[in-house]
Amino acid sequence: MLGSGLIKGLAQTAKNFFGSYHDPARMVTVEYPEQKRVVPEASRTIPFLVYDGEDPELGLRCTACKICEVECPTQCIYIVKNTSKKPDHVGKMQFHPATFDIDISVCMGCGICAEVCPFDSIKMDQVFELSTADRFESLLLHKQQLAKPNSYFGKIHPTEAGEIDIRREQDKRKAEAKAKADAEAKARAAAEVQNAAANSAAPPPSPQTVTPA
Amino acid sequence: MPSEIAFFTFAGLTLISAIAAMTMRNLVYCGLCSAAAFAGIAAIYLQLSAEFVGFAQFLVYVGAIAILIVFTVLLTRGTDIKPTVAIVSRGWIAGVVIAGLVFASISVPVFMSATLWRTAPPEVAAPVEMIGLELMTRYILPLEAIGLLLTVALIGAVVIAMREKPAESIEPEVTDLEENSTPAPRFDVSSLEVKS
Amino acid sequence: MTKLDQIFVSTKHWLVGLAPEMLQSLASILLSIIPIMAVFGGCFAVTTILERKGLGRIQNRFGPNRVGPFGFLQPMADGIKMLTKEDIVPFQSDKVMHFLAPIVLTVPIWLAFSVLPFGRNMVAVDFNAGILFFFAAGAASELAVFMAGWASQNKYSLMGAMRAMAQMISYEVPLVLSAIPVIMIAGSLSLPQIVEAQAGYGAGWFPQWHVFTPWGLAGFGLFLVAATAESNRSPFDLPEGESELIAGFLTEYSGFKYALFFLGEYLGLFAISGLAVTLFLGGWHAPLPILEWLPSWFWFFVKFASLIAAFIWVRGTMPRLRMDQLLNLSWKFLVPLAVLNLFVTAVWHFSSNWQSFGGLAARWLMCGGLLAAAYVLLGRSLSRGQGTPRKYTYAE
């Protein structure tokens, strides 16, 4: 009959109306500034730079290789290489950036920089409250603002950060083991050289044995 | 005195808007000006303490007839079409003659009737009940005749507005638009194919 | 009791008495106009926020809850926003008509309030033909809608205005036709006398409101449907159908003029709800004799507020109609039913001396049965073809 559907609809909305007062589970609204929804792990907004340890300057993983700068589709990254070098996590001497700027008013959050970085240095952040009153200066992020500790990275992307930490730890161990082995080999070689020298009445040492391969 | 001021104000407004309705070039303005004239007449009725007639005038003329005029203007011709014939033209003479004849045919009986020369009774209120009773008793025949006339006009309008159907289809009118519309001839892609 | 009931009337008389002799009639007029404008202007503000909150709850949302306690200062914020917005007049528009349209819309609607009885002895103007005045005042709004749509020189505005006019003309017929039975039974066009006709209680407790009769119930339903359409509210808000017409005749309006249209729309709703209360829900009469100690204006506003709540509820429930469905509903369902209701009312009127038990039962059965049968039959013809799988001509 005409009107039965109308009554059914009215009953449904009345149920919603009264239900919304005593059943909080019905309410789908997240009242944003007070309540915040947990963002998914894979979500990404703008890039940031990871550093190890306590000192953002010393522990910065970035080696100023400029791959990200070249790959960035919007060209929002600007890097100036420093002249000095500092040791990285495996102890190798690397360059580091004197300037590392990202213009987040241009950045489109594609994540290509994070994908191409061979040093696990540039990663995607999850901050989204980025509005400022100033259009230019506040949206140009410098190295100091971009550098964030590895613990923060571990907090927002636990899976990825865990894998990277294990790999870097292994690299470090390997490097240490290699250094140790090299040192041993060197010592052994030196000892051999000494022995040989002692045995063969001190001939001049050959260049091959002095500098290990 | 104040009532006379009010009367001349309303009468003046009515006349001005009536003249404007006749002379303006934009048909929508004409329609709206005639609505203003109708409203002025309603105000004069009200001033004569004929509440029912005044409100009915406003309801019927401003609420329905003026809307109808405006609707017709919009539906039939664009408002921006400039009239090609000047207002003062040959047809104008015929119009004046016809208008004069109509005016005479109304005014002659009015001036001949004895009612006009009767002095007005002191109480001029016309309660609704009285109008209703008079309509249902004394003036029942004119009322019925007008009703019949309006019905005929209504049916005529429906007949004119009815869509002409092909002779073979005797199906009942379907209310739904979708069902009623015949599918338009489709564009055949295969005819476009180029022989290679 | 009567003191509280007549508190507004006696206050007004007292205030008028304070004025000098010359200005007393002027003071009396002002003291009738200002309270009406203040009360219904306030109602407008409160209704906008309550409507938004109610619609939110219907959709399991909170609704606005940021401005002030529980969001109740939202109307103030909206008002400030509206008043400080730039007033844009389109370059090609008809400037004069564009300016006049919101005024022509709002003024007659304020006039319509002057004949509504808000309580015992609380009516601004007691016209002999009050209900006719109400409808006449409402008729001017159609012209205003047309002016707004045409003056904007915008195709969406014009189409919205055409739709609005077609809708208002179509629904004015059932609106007036469903009010006529009340006039037939009450025997008067004056609204206070129509309220008087619904006084008293049958069998000591049963209120003699018009809605509690078969013709009254049918008339009330028809009146509410027609009133919803007449005030351009959902589900009949297709003159403003934003999915196809942006905002209809409001497209080119902004700032204060838009606010005036908004105000006019709500005031139209209030006026027509007040008329529905007066015609069918017993006006300011209490529903039960034991509740008569509450003042009359309180009862009027209780009924008024519940009608507004019902309108909001309907708005939160029904989807918008299609244009052909809208016109079909009016001309093929509401108008025939309203005309039949006139006949049923005549039957009811002439069977008023059937006061025995059997006579009453026969009277109710006859009138109610006629209307119910017509409802079912007309409803069946209206919904014929609905519910079958939809046939698409172009989209497969």
Side-chain angles (χ1 to χ4, degrees), chain B residues 187-196:
Chain B
F187 186 66
D188 194 2
V189 185
S190 60
S191 67
L192 255 185
E193 272 179 319
V194 184
K195 276 176 194 161
S196 53

Side-chain angles (χ1 to χ4, degrees), chain A residues 52 87-92 119 167-169 171-172 175-176:
Chain A
D52 294 309
D88 65 355
H89 65 293
V90 290
K92 207 168 157 192
F119 300 99
R167 200 173 66 231
R168 284 173 72 89
E169 193 59 41
D171 285 354
K172 205 172 160 185
E176 273 169 7

Side-chain angles (χ1 to χ4, degrees), chain B residues 13-174:
Chain B
L13 282 178
T14 310
L15 279 179
I16 289 168
S17 38
I19 291 167
M22 284 186 294
T23 51
M24 273 180 151
R25 278 303 167 90
N26 191 328
L27 278 178
V28 173
Y29 282 152
C30 296
L32 290 174
C33 283
S34 59
F38 294 146
I41 292 171
I44 291 173
Y45 282 143
L46 286 182
Q47 215 213 345
L48 296 171
S49 60
E51 270 178 18
F52 180 80
V53 185
F55 295 151
Q57 160 88 15
F58 197 85
L59 180 63
V60 172
Y61 279 86
V62 179
I65 306 249
I67 297 282
L68 208 63
I69 292 172
V70 161
F71 228 99
T72 321
V73 169
L74 284 183
L75 285 180
T76 49
R77 51 188 287 186
T79 51
D80 46 354
I81 298 173
K82 295 274 174 291
T84 48
V85 186
I87 284 180
V88 182
S89 65
R90 201 176 301 159
W92 195 67
I93 303 163
V96 166
V97 170
I98 292 171
L101 282 177
V102 170
F103 183 72
S105 63
I106 295 171
S107 54
V108 165
V110 168
F111 281 106
M112 301 262 282
S113 77
T115 329
L116 191 70
W117 310 111
R118 219 187 278 156
T119 48
E123 187 61 40
V124 285
V128 184
E129 289 96 336
M130 232 170 77
I131 296 174
L133 283 176
E134 290 283 303
L135 276 180
M136 280 296 156
T137 53
R138 196 165 154 203
Y139 298 104
I140 186 77
L141 198 63
L143 186 74
E144 299 271 319
I146 290 171
L148 200 65
L149 193 69
L150 287 177
T151 315
V152 167
L154 198 69
I155 293 171
V158 169
V159 168
I160 290 171
M162 219 146 72
R163 197 183 307 171
E164 284 182 25
K165 274 181 281 185
E168 66 266 21
S169 83
I170 42 163
E171 287 170 29
E173 183 84 23
V174 189

Side-chain angles (χ1 to χ4, degrees), chain B residues 74, chain C residues 90 92 146 148-163 239 244-252:
Chain B
L74 284 183
Chain C
Q92 289 213 308
F146 165 74
W150 186 79
S152 299
Q153 293 288 6
N154 173 322
K155 57 188 166 197
Y156 296 115
S157 299
L158 193 58
M159 283 166 79
M162 296 286 275
R163 276 191 186 186
E244 60 253 41
L245 285 181
I246 306 175
F249 55 89
L250 299 172
T251 305
E252 297 290 0

